[in-house]
Amino acid sequence: EMDKDREPTWIPDTLMYSTFLPPFRSVTNAGVETFMNSYTDINGIPVVASKRFLKDIIRNEMDFPGTIVTDWAEIRNLHLWHKMAKSFPEAVFLSMSRTTVDMSMVPDGTSFNENLLKLVEEGKISTDRLDESVRRVLQFKEDLGLLDPSNDPLPDPNNPLLDTIGSNEDRLVSLEACRESMTLLKNEDR
């Protein structure tokens, strides 16, 4: 079923609001801190470039204050897959000018950053737009404790548990967790 995660999706508003959006509203109300857009397009617009979904609905209607991150290379896919942009710089422009995406999960190098910086320098993307995303990303990092200087991200090299990582015991626990969480379906008489 390769590429089924990229199938175009047609969803009438009544179905969108009655079926698909309530779980997003619930997790927003529960305090979820990040959303990731999907690879799909909804009603002909790729989600990563959808003002309606990422700005009007998620940010404004649901009042989501957290970070929105793209799925892997999805801004680039506006050019390569969805054929909505003529170039990668145009794809960066479409996503960053229409939506409130905060982070682009990029597959290689610094091309997203370089293109975004150029768009800001050319006045096509405002520094205010960039500042919005920077504030949300920094807030997320602060909430996770990543900005606390006393919070050393590296494990203590003297921690005896480091020697157990990847041990046979760890692998057996992982295998048992997989077995216990597996669901097998059997279709009989069909």
Side-chain angles (χ1 to χ4, degrees), residues 9-57:
T9 306
W10 298 95
I11 305 172
D13 277 357
T14 53
L15 186 61
M16 180 67 67
Y17 279 91
S18 67
T19 303
F20 293 101
L21 292 179
F24 287 92
R25 189 175 307 280
S26 293
V27 296
T28 297
N29 293 340
V32 71
E33 294 204 32
T34 187
F35 279 149
M36 176 182 279
N37 72 264
S38 69
Y39 281 124
T40 60
D41 64 70
I42 299 176
N43 300 337
I45 305 293
V47 174
V48 74
S50 175
K51 175 186 178 290
R52 178 161 188 251
F53 284 98
L54 298 183
K55 194 173 198 176
D56 298 342
I57 294 175

Side-chain angles (χ1 to χ4, degrees), residues 104-122:
S104 174
M105 201 183 331
V106 293
D108 52 16
T110 58
S111 58
F112 171 79
N113 302 349
E114 291 163 1
N115 282 291
L116 180 55
L117 178 60
K118 186 174 181 186
L119 290 165
V120 170
E121 289 170 347
E122 293 171 351

Side-chain angles (χ1 to χ4, degrees), residues 5-172:
D5 60 342
R6 295 175 187 267
E7 291 294 312
T9 306
W10 298 95
I11 305 172
D13 277 357
T14 53
L15 186 61
M16 180 67 67
Y17 279 91
S18 67
T19 303
F20 293 101
L21 292 179
F24 287 92
R25 189 175 307 280
S26 293
V27 296
T28 297
N29 293 340
V32 71
E33 294 204 32
T34 187
F35 279 149
M36 176 182 279
N37 72 264
S38 69
Y39 281 124
T40 60
D41 64 70
I42 299 176
N43 300 337
I45 305 293
V47 174
V48 74
S50 175
K51 175 186 178 290
R52 178 161 188 251
F53 284 98
L54 298 183
K55 194 173 198 176
D56 298 342
I57 294 175
I58 299 294
R59 293 286 187 204
N60 298 333
E61 291 179 27
M62 292 187 189
D63 200 29
F64 176 66
T67 303
I68 296 177
V69 63
T70 68
D71 210 328
W72 186 255
E74 189 57 357
I75 290 178
R76 175 168 284 153
N77 287 337
L78 286 172
H79 169 58
L80 298 177
W81 181 268
H82 300 289
K83 307 294 186 201
M84 185 175 186
K86 294 177 185 170
S87 65
F88 182 55
E90 184 182 351
V92 173
F93 174 76
L94 288 174
S95 183
M96 297 305 291
S97 65
R98 291 179 175 192
T99 75
T100 55
V101 164
D102 298 307
M103 292 174 57
S104 174
M105 201 183 331
V106 293
D108 52 16
T110 58
S111 58
F112 171 79
N113 302 349
E114 291 163 1
N115 282 291
L116 180 55
L117 178 60
K118 186 174 181 186
L119 290 165
V120 170
E121 289 170 347
E122 293 171 351
K124 294 179 180 176
I125 301 288
S126 73
T127 55
D128 288 344
R129 167 65 183 91
L130 199 56
D131 288 346
E132 287 175 24
S133 288
V134 169
R135 274 192 291 278
R136 285 190 288 261
V137 170
L138 289 176
Q139 184 63 57
F140 185 46
K141 288 183 175 195
E142 184 176 320
D143 293 347
L144 292 172
L146 297 176
L147 302 180
D148 182 351
S150 67
N151 202 359
D152 187 351
L154 299 176
D156 177 356
N158 298 317
N159 185 331
L161 294 176
L162 286 177
D163 293 333
T164 68
I165 295 173
S167 67
N168 279 342
E169 183 181 354
D170 272 5
R171 292 172 189 211
L172 289 173

